[in-house]
Each structure stands twice: as C-alpha cells, then as structure tokens.
Amino acid sequence: MTATVIKNVKIFDGSGEAPFPGSVRVEDNRIVAVERGDKSLASGDARVIDGEGGTLMPGMVDAHAHLALGTSVETLTKKPGNHPAETLALIEAHCGRVMLDHGFTSAYSGGSGSVEAEVAVKEAFDAGWLPGPRLVTSSFERMPGGPVGLVFKFPGYETRKSHPEEIGAFVEEMANKGAQAVKFLLNGVSAFDPGKNTTEQFYDEEVMAAGEAARRKGVWLTAHCYTPHSIKLAIAAGFRTLYHCNYADEEALDAIEAAKDRIFVGLAPGIEESHVLRAKKFGVMASPEQVEEQDSAIEHIKVTGNELRKRGVRSMIGGDYGFPWNPVGMNARDLELFVDWFGYTPTEALVAATKLGGQIMDMEDELGLIKPGYLADVLVVRGDPVKDITLMTRKENLAVIMKDGKAPQRHGAGRGGLQVKWITVDGAHPSTPVLWARRKKYRADC
C-alpha cells in the first residue's frame, strides 16, 4: 500500500461548500480520510506533503476535449487535418499530457478523427503507460457517403437524399470499435465553411435513427448544435450532450430545461472568444461577414449561458481546445468566461469543473469530490481560486497534480521552458513515483 497525507491546506471539496482548513489521506488510488480543522491526520508511514496554505481541490474535467486536433501551448500547428491513426495517437498522447499538466485529470471527448487511435490512447492513459487524463472516447460523425474524420464543407441536408439506415449503421460501427460516444455536427462550422453555423446538416429521421442505434448499442450521442431546431431534435432523439446552443430560443431553452436531469450542455465559450482574439492570425473567421457573425454568436451565447444558469441546467467546462487559435493548455480559461460571460460565481464555475465533471464522466460516485472513497484525482493550488478564479489559468499555480493517487514521470517542461526532472516528494527512487509536484524543493534542474 502507498499512502500520502496532504496537510496544511484549505479544502474545496467540489460540493460548492466554502473551503475549510484540513488535511487528506490517500491510500493507493483512493481518498480514505478527510480531516477538518487545523489538526492534521496522523501520517504514520505515509508520505507527507505540506500544502503551505494552498487550496486542495478535485482534479478538473474538460467536457469538450479534442486531443486529436493537434495544437497545444507547447506545440503550434497549422489548421487541423485528417491524419493516419498512428499519427493521431501520437498527437492525442501529447495533448493529453499537456492537459494533465494544466490540472485537467479527466476529459470527455468531443470527437477524434480515429476511434482506434483514441481507444488506444485511453488504454495507455488508464494503464499509466503514458501521462494523460481519464478519457471518455468519441468519434466524429460521418456524413452519409463521406469519410470518417474532420468535416470541412457543410452543404446542408437538402443537397442529398435521406439515409437513416447509413446513420444507424455508422453509430453501430463506432460502438463496435470502442467509442463510448458518437458525435454529430447537426449544424455546420463557419470557421471552416463561412456562414454555415446555422445550416441544418441532417434530416430529422436520420437523427432519430442515430438515437435508436445508440440505445441498441449502449453508447452516448453528442450534438454540435447552434439552432433551435437542432437543439430540440437532439433532445427528442435522446442525445446526452449538446455543444454550443448559441441561438437557443425560448422554446429550445424550455426543452433543455425539461431534459436537464438527463443531458449536459457544453457552451464552449473558449472557442467563441478565440475566434475573435486569435483566429484571424490563422486566416479563420477573418472576413467582415465572419467577424459580424462571430460577434453575434458571442452575444447570443452570453444570453444562453446566463439563462441556462438561472434554470439550473448542467453547463460544463470545456471550450473546444485544440485548434491553433485555441490550444490545449488554455482549458481553464473557460472558468473565467463562465464568471465573466454567464454570471457564475467562482465557486459555481469550480463546481462545474469538478462535481459536474464527475457526472458527465458517469463516475459521480467516485470522481469530482474530495470525499472518502473517491478516486484520488486532486490538485493543490497556490492561493484560493474561490477568491481569484484566474489562478487556475496559470500552471505555475498548480503546486501538486495527482491522478489516481500518483502521477507519471516525465522529463522536460516543454519547448522553450526550463528543463525540469520530476522526482517523488520524499526523494524515493523514481521507479516508484507518487505525485507530480512543482514546488522548488521537490525538483532538480537537469
């Protein structure tokens, strides 16, 4: 048994309760005790970490992750493309490590161009062969008659005949390959095909066929949807996760609220902001018409986000990170945008990233809270993010990152950064790593 005691911390347990002073004991990969007050848990034979007054909290969950798009804060690429499965697996492994390095210990995939690559990387993350988050795997959708992978042109459903049987067969194919979720772009993507955010891409009967196939195979469905029609259609078909929802009208909002106990909404404010701030540098959303469209999209998503908060809908942290203008590693920016755009308190935003994250991962009984019996996916943050949510956006504020009671070894701090060799906190042999600590006294320059 490997045991660790983390003391001298304020504990944000993920429930929404105010942080309280205390200590936590971890044995193997589970939290076994949480002590309130200044008195620390007895350490015995456990390794001891002095949190130095920082905040201990659950690891965060990104509910709209794209590990295969290819860009992180450490590795800049051009526009994403379709690559062989072996290339995508390497890309996902890199981006998963970067995501973990920024405090996201779990990720719900919003799509990968290769289910085979994503399943393989998940297995490596789960086994501890590679550093990366817990992962719910997903496919991108296949337009009827088209290839699996990223879609760059969106002609609309009226340009072709309806093929519900092909859609159902695709869901079954993805489930057979190991996808836990199947993604459909019910509307287009203006970043790739100008003006297509509000174009319908599937016939109603095709979407309903996807729902029927998903229920047969026991997989979840995810909808990229902007329009009121696509939102209501996805809910009617039994989709579990709805992304974006910018242009939801009153009827669509009512439908979301009526289904709030079984669905999750990922508004993805990060990608919306990045289209304004950085996309032009990459030749994306750069024309006057696209700029006007994006300004409108942001104004609408602010209204939608505030309304969903008031209605008690589970809105999730996760902003389509992975594009060159919105790289993996910036994921915690969503926390700030939930506060600035949607009216959340910092506490509410942190609950969305932790407790609600455990729910979308379908692990609410063991993930997302600091509680005995829960998995030891925890962070120690320098400072109090309940008072200053921006602390979460800078990885140097993450004093400790622990996943499953430990953290994999890695060497190097990324391109252009200080080269650091990570060692265990008690100086133990690196073949028995216990946690990933960035505090100066726990690291040795290479």
Side-chain angles (χ1 to χ4, degrees):
M1 178 190 72
T2 300
T4 303
V5 169
I6 306 174
K7 67 176 186 177
N8 190 18
V9 289
K10 292 177 292 183
I11 298 173
F12 175 83
D13 65 6
S15 70
E17 180 183 348
F20 54 87
S23 58
V24 169
R25 181 179 176 91
V26 171
E27 293 181 2
D28 295 329
N29 70 334
R30 299 275 173 175
I31 297 168
V32 297
V34 178
E35 178 75 19
R36 290 174 176 260
D38 295 329
K39 183 179 179 181
S40 177
L41 287 162
S43 58
D45 60 349
R47 297 174 175 86
V48 178
I49 302 168
D50 184 351
E52 299 181 350
T55 301
L56 185 145
M57 60 174 282
M60 294 184 289
V61 180
D62 187 303
H64 189 163
H66 287 300
L67 298 182
L69 289 179
T71 300
S72 77
V73 293
E74 296 180 7
T75 304
L76 180 65
T77 62
K78 295 182 179 180
K79 291 183 181 180
N82 289 305
H83 303 288
E86 57 269 27
T87 301
L88 287 174
L90 292 171
I91 290 170
E92 292 212 21
H94 165 75
C95 288
R97 194 272 301 160
V98 173
M99 183 177 288
L100 181 62
D101 199 30
H102 286 77
F104 284 84
T105 54
S106 294
Y108 191 97
S109 177
S112 170
S114 168
V115 173
E116 294 89 346
E118 190 143 293
V119 169
V121 169
K122 172 183 170 59
E123 291 176 354
F125 290 163
D126 289 347
W129 305 333
L130 293 174
R134 301 180 191 278
L135 181 63
V136 168
T137 58
S138 174
S139 73
F140 276 126
E141 82 295 338
R142 176 175 65 86
M143 300 296 284
V148 175
L150 284 169
V151 178
F152 296 100
K153 292 296 180 182
F154 300 87
Y157 69 90
E158 293 176 340
T159 63
R160 60 174 177 80
K161 293 181 179 179
S162 178
H163 292 286
E165 69 287 348
E166 288 191 15
I167 298 302
F170 173 69
V171 172
E172 294 193 4
E173 177 190 1
M174 295 298 100
N176 291 339
K177 288 185 175 183
Q180 295 167 276
V182 180
K183 171 86 170 289
F184 284 89
L185 273 71
L186 302 187
N187 299 123
V189 180
S190 292
F192 296 143
D193 199 358
K196 296 300 177 69
N197 275 358
T198 56
T199 56
E200 307 294 336
Q201 298 301 312
F202 290 88
Y203 287 92
D204 289 9
E205 61 268 22
E206 292 177 323
V207 178
M208 298 304 289
E212 293 171 4
R215 286 186 287 275
R216 284 197 304 271
K217 298 298 293 185
V219 295
W220 298 318
L221 293 178
T222 302
H224 163 108
C225 50
Y226 287 93
T227 65
H229 177 76
S230 65
I231 293 167
K232 292 182 289 184
L233 179 59
I235 292 171
F239 279 58
R240 183 175 186 256
T241 307
L242 278 60
Y243 289 154
H244 305 297
C245 301
N246 296 53
Y247 299 102
D249 60 11
E250 194 69 22
E251 192 173 297
L253 289 169
D254 288 344
I256 292 172
E257 183 178 9
K260 68 180 181 181
D261 292 336
R262 67 173 178 85
I263 67 171
F264 299 88
V265 177
L267 296 169
I271 191 66
E272 304 289 1
E273 182 187 53
S274 73
H275 280 153
V276 171
L277 296 183
R278 295 177 294 276
K280 292 179 186 178
K281 298 176 182 179
F282 297 87
V284 174
M285 302 298 285
S287 72
E289 294 79 13
Q290 288 176 297
V291 170
E292 183 179 356
E293 178 186 11
Q294 187 56 30
D295 288 342
S296 173
I298 287 176
E299 289 308 308
H300 279 85
I301 200 174
K302 288 179 179 179
V303 173
T304 298
N306 275 274
E307 188 62 31
L308 295 183
R309 174 182 54 80
K310 294 174 185 176
R311 294 177 183 230
V313 173
R314 292 180 292 188
S315 293
M316 309 304 298
I317 297 297
D320 242 338
Y321 295 93
F323 294 97
W325 50 94
N326 198 39
V328 171
M330 293 185 63
N331 307 64
R333 173 60 179 157
D334 265 36
L335 293 162
E336 289 187 75
L337 293 174
F338 266 54
V339 173
D340 295 343
W341 286 11
F342 304 149
Y344 281 62
T345 66
T347 293
E348 290 169 337
L350 290 167
V351 168
T354 55
K355 178 182 177 180
L356 298 189
Q359 293 175 11
I360 197 171
M361 294 293 290
D362 200 31
M363 300 175 70
E364 62 266 34
D365 294 333
E366 58 179 348
L367 188 69
L369 296 173
I370 302 299
K371 186 176 179 180
Y374 275 59
L375 290 163
D377 290 9
V378 303
L379 311 176
V380 176
V381 183
R382 294 189 176 95
D384 185 352
V386 169
K387 294 180 179 178
D388 182 5
I389 196 66
T390 67
L391 293 173
M392 303 305 300
T393 64
R394 300 186 295 277
K395 74 174 185 177
E396 62 267 23
N397 293 326
L398 303 180
V400 173
I401 300 171
M402 179 183 284
K403 178 197 166 194
D404 229 14
K406 58 183 182 297
Q409 298 177 76
R410 74 179 186 88
H411 295 270
R415 182 177 297 178
L418 174 68
Q419 294 300 301
V420 172
K421 179 181 178 182
W422 303 103
I423 60 176
T424 53
V425 295
D426 63 347
H429 190 277
S431 66
T432 57
V434 177
L435 66 131
W436 203 343
R438 295 193 182 84
R439 299 162 64 188
K440 286 185 178 180
K441 65 180 179 180
Y442 296 146
R443 73 187 189 187
D445 293 344
C446 294

